[in-house]
Amino acid sequence: MKKSSGLRVELEIPENVNDVALTKTNLKGDWINFFLLLLLYTMQGLPLGISGAMTILLQSKKNVTYKDQAVYSITKWPFSLKLLWAPLVDALYVQKFGRRKSWLMPVQYLIGILFMYAASDIDNLLPETGKPNIKILTYIFFMMNFLAATQDIVVDGWALTILKRNNVGYASTCNASGQTIGSMIGSMVLILFTSEEFCNKYLRNTPAVGGIVSVKSLFYCWGIIFILVTTLVCILKKEKDIVFEDDHEKINVVHNYLLLWDILKLPSIQILLIIMITSKIGYAVTDNVSTLKLVDAGVSKEDLSMIETVMSVINIIISFVIGKYTSGPKPMSLYLKIVPSRLLLNIAFALFIYYTPKLLSLNGYGYTSIYYYPLLIFLSSIQQILMHTMFISTLAFFSRISDYRIGSTYMTLLNTFANLAYIWTSTASLGLIDVLSFKECSPNKCTTLKNSEYPCLISEDECIVTVNGYYVEMLICTIIGIIWYFAAKNTLKKFQTMDSSHWLVNLNKKVSANRE
């Protein structure tokens, strides 16, 4: 042991402490833990899917603007802010109860309670007619995603120790598959099973008013499920905290934040975080605005939800299929191969959305082209496959370089910047649509009304879009994405071959003041 000046005592770290075992992956003896992680990530995905589906429900209402959508997109931010409280999750717990369960149980109980609270007033917050209460909906789903983000911190840290070291690469498979399954169920059930049109068409013999379930009853149901499943996990799963089996003392909150600062001071981490936070700019419009543009063009939210369900199933399959490719030593090589294809897909989506109004009502005769939906499914499938593969590759790389001794803090730091890349580009891309769009009233048809954002619509006349901000943004983002690719690819390739010492920090055993 080597004592440093100041507050900390540093431990010498074996060179291979963070290396994944070189033995072949084998889930024998780990299957129960694998499925537990899959279940927990699925529960995490449920509120994410529901809050995401709310975006489509809001867009289907005529009185919701892109500025409203930008405000509601704040609900996605907790996953990009969780770094602020991740050290608390790593340091504060009741060791007898379990390092991860101390946080997992109350967080999931609170999600269940919040679902029930939302159910009690959802009819007023999301009325059939009239404008939704965007402000309150944003508060509710922000808090729900805050709790889901906290659960993510816990499960990410648990995944590094609950699985054997040679199986740790499967943590990204559980993460990606579980979140996808949860998001699919949450989104699909909310949009389709509450839709009168869908239920009358596919689920009922006799047409009736409303869906087979109401949003209110659905939210109550999810609340009960969260409470029941959390109780079962609490009773049936015993946690073994391997971090302190080697006579290491518990790291307190102050030390966790100091460790976080030490991680941030690593040159390799600083470069990686810059790369990550800018990595989504190239696809921001395609990922965040294209679906809403399809709704504006006339594609029904039910059709989009069914397509999204198909995409989710594809993503689940992909998670398991590509696991063997991302569990190797160079997961980011696969990531880099996909980037050019994703940038080319921007052009495909821009063209597709441009021609969507014509294809939905071909030649003005009121019928949809037989090629439209197959083409939409094809483009969406390619987008989801590429996006999901990149996501899993990134998670696998993070799992490989993270120090499992401070797993929650380290993984949360990396995931925070990866999530932040998606979230800030989402809010920015939605907010800039109206800024980059220019409209004017049809000649001699309407009188411009002062203090009105949509004077033509208010006077029941037509507006002419002279410049569509969607296509302007798409062009700008694609150019930035090309620049990012050539600037970052060599660095990411190099990071995969670097020794583990470039990613490790010395753990503090205790504050000198406590020793003295």
Side-chain angles (χ1 to χ4, degrees):
M1 183 182 295
K2 175 183 175 184
K3 184 173 181 180
S4 66
S5 59
L7 295 177
R8 294 176 285 176
V9 176
E10 299 178 347
L11 297 177
E12 294 182 359
I13 303 172
E15 291 183 1
N16 63 344
V17 71
N18 201 46
D19 292 337
V20 176
L22 298 178
T23 57
K24 186 177 180 180
T25 59
N26 184 358
L27 283 174
K28 184 178 180 180
D30 251 352
W31 280 110
I32 293 178
N33 295 326
F34 178 88
F35 285 116
L36 175 60
L37 287 176
L38 191 63
L39 172 64
L40 295 176
Y41 280 119
T42 298
M43 295 185 70
Q44 180 189 129
L46 278 169
L48 298 179
I50 291 170
S51 62
M54 289 295 296
T55 301
I56 297 178
L57 291 179
L58 292 174
Q59 191 67 19
S60 65
K61 297 183 179 297
K62 295 181 179 179
N63 48 12
V64 174
T65 66
Y66 278 98
K67 287 185 178 179
D68 292 329
Q69 291 283 12
V71 171
Y72 180 77
S73 71
I74 295 173
T75 60
K76 302 174 184 177
W77 277 80
F79 270 78
S80 298
L81 301 174
K82 61 184 180 178
L83 180 64
L84 299 177
W85 64 94
L88 297 176
V89 177
D90 245 354
L92 300 178
Y93 58 92
V94 179
Q95 189 166 348
K96 186 177 181 180
F97 186 62
R99 188 180 189 187
R100 309 306 178 185
K101 287 172 65 178
S102 295
W103 284 89
L104 185 70
M105 301 303 118
V107 163
Q108 292 193 163
Y109 278 131
L110 286 172
I111 293 176
I113 293 170
L114 193 56
F115 266 122
M116 294 184 178
Y117 170 77
S120 66
D121 197 35
I122 195 63
D123 292 335
N124 294 323
L125 299 175
L126 192 68
E128 290 293 329
T129 58
K131 185 167 184 175
N133 193 327
I134 301 294
K135 183 178 180 180
I136 301 300
L137 286 172
T138 301
Y139 286 151
I140 290 175
F141 285 100
F142 180 90
M143 181 56 63
M144 193 174 293
N145 285 339
F146 169 80
L147 294 170
T150 304
Q151 193 255 29
D152 186 50
I153 297 171
V154 176
V155 180
D156 280 349
W158 203 0
L160 297 179
T161 57
I162 198 173
L163 295 173
K164 298 174 183 176
R165 288 302 294 164
N166 61 305
N167 291 328
V168 72
Y170 284 104
S172 62
T173 301
C174 294
N175 188 321
S177 300
Q179 278 195 9
T180 302
I181 293 170
S183 295
M184 176 187 69
I185 295 173
S187 176
M188 176 188 68
V189 174
L190 178 59
I191 292 180
L192 297 184
F193 288 8
T194 63
S195 168
E196 178 180 327
E197 179 184 347
F198 177 83
C199 293
N200 286 339
K201 187 175 181 180
Y202 296 104
L203 303 179
R204 291 187 177 122
N205 293 324
T206 303
V209 178
I212 60 174
V213 295
S214 65
V215 177
K216 183 175 183 177
S217 60
L218 184 62
F219 279 15
Y220 273 124
C221 180
W222 287 134
I224 293 171
I225 289 174
F226 256 87
I227 291 173
L228 288 177
V229 172
T230 303
T231 302
L232 289 175
V233 173
C234 180
I235 295 172
L236 299 178
K237 178 61 181 177
K238 292 184 178 179
E239 181 182 350
K240 184 179 181 182
D241 193 346
I242 68 169
V243 175
F244 300 112
E245 286 184 347
D246 299 327
D247 297 327
H248 295 310
E249 297 185 22
K250 182 177 176 181
I251 302 174
N252 62 33
V253 176
V254 174
H255 279 89
N256 253 6
Y257 279 102
L258 289 173
L259 283 171
L260 180 60
W261 180 245
D262 286 342
I263 296 171
L264 286 170
K265 289 192 296 183
L266 293 173
S268 53
I269 286 292
Q270 292 175 359
I271 297 172
L272 179 62
L273 295 186
I274 293 173
I275 291 175
M276 285 294 106
I277 203 172
T278 56
S279 62
K280 304 293 185 185
I281 298 176
Y283 339 110
V285 181
T286 299
D287 292 348
N288 301 293
V289 185
S290 292
T291 298
L292 302 183
K293 280 295 181 180
L294 289 172
V295 174
D296 290 344
V299 181
S300 71
K301 64 181 186 297
E302 292 81 10
D303 289 339
L304 288 173
S305 181
M306 287 189 287
I307 293 172
E308 182 65 27
T309 300
V310 174
M311 298 304 101
S312 297
V313 173
I314 292 174
N315 285 340
I316 294 168
I317 296 172
I318 292 171
S319 298
F320 291 97
V321 170
I322 70 171
K324 61 181 180 180
Y325 299 105
T326 58
S327 60
K330 296 182 179 181
M332 294 306 286
S333 294
L334 180 60
Y335 179 99
L336 290 169
K337 290 178 181 178
I338 293 173
V339 172
S341 298
R342 294 245 19 221
L343 294 173
L344 287 174
L345 204 59
N346 288 349
I347 301 173
F349 265 96
L351 292 173
F352 182 76
I353 289 175
Y354 179 80
Y355 286 105
T356 285
K358 296 180 181 179
L359 294 172
L360 286 178
S361 184
L362 193 61
N363 297 326
Y365 291 112
Y367 63 88
T368 301
S369 168
I370 60 173
Y371 303 107
Y372 181 77
Y373 281 102
L375 186 56
L376 175 57
I377 293 172
F378 174 75
L379 286 176
S380 298
S381 299
I382 297 300
Q383 180 201 20
Q384 288 295 319
I385 290 171
L386 297 180
M387 183 168 61
H388 204 64
T389 303
M390 294 172 77
F391 172 64
I392 296 174
S393 299
T394 304
L395 285 180
F397 179 63
F398 290 168
S399 296
R400 185 163 298 279
I401 66 175
S402 293
D403 188 338
Y404 74 95
R405 298 167 301 171
I406 46 173
S408 289
T409 301
Y410 211 124
M411 281 291 290
T412 299
L413 170 66
L414 299 175
N415 283 327
T416 292
F417 280 84
N419 289 328
L420 186 60
Y422 170 74
I423 299 304
W424 82 261
T425 54
S426 173
T427 300
S429 60
L430 288 168
L432 287 173
I433 288 293
D434 288 336
V435 174
L436 297 175
S437 296
F438 295 91
K439 303 177 182 179
E440 62 182 22
C441 293
S442 300
N444 304 320
K445 279 195 173 184
C446 70
T447 302
T448 301
L449 303 178
K450 292 183 179 179
N451 301 321
S452 170
E453 185 178 358
Y454 299 109
C456 300
L457 295 178
I458 292 176
S459 60
E460 298 183 355
D461 285 309
E462 295 182 352
C463 260
I464 297 175
V465 178
T466 56
V467 177
N468 193 320
Y470 172 80
Y471 302 107
V472 176
E473 264 198 82
M474 185 72 83
L475 176 62
I476 294 173
C477 288
T478 301
I479 293 173
I480 294 175
I482 294 172
I483 296 172
W484 179 93
Y485 173 70
F486 286 105
K489 68 174 184 176
N490 289 333
T491 302
L492 288 176
K493 288 179 179 179
K494 178 183 176 182
F495 280 173
Q496 295 181 123
T497 60
M498 285 169 52
D499 184 79
S500 61
S501 61
H502 290 84
W503 309 104
L504 297 178
V505 293
N506 288 324
L507 293 181
N508 305 321
K509 192 170 183 180
K510 58 168 64 176
V511 179
S512 296
N514 290 341
R515 289 175 57 89
E516 297 170 0

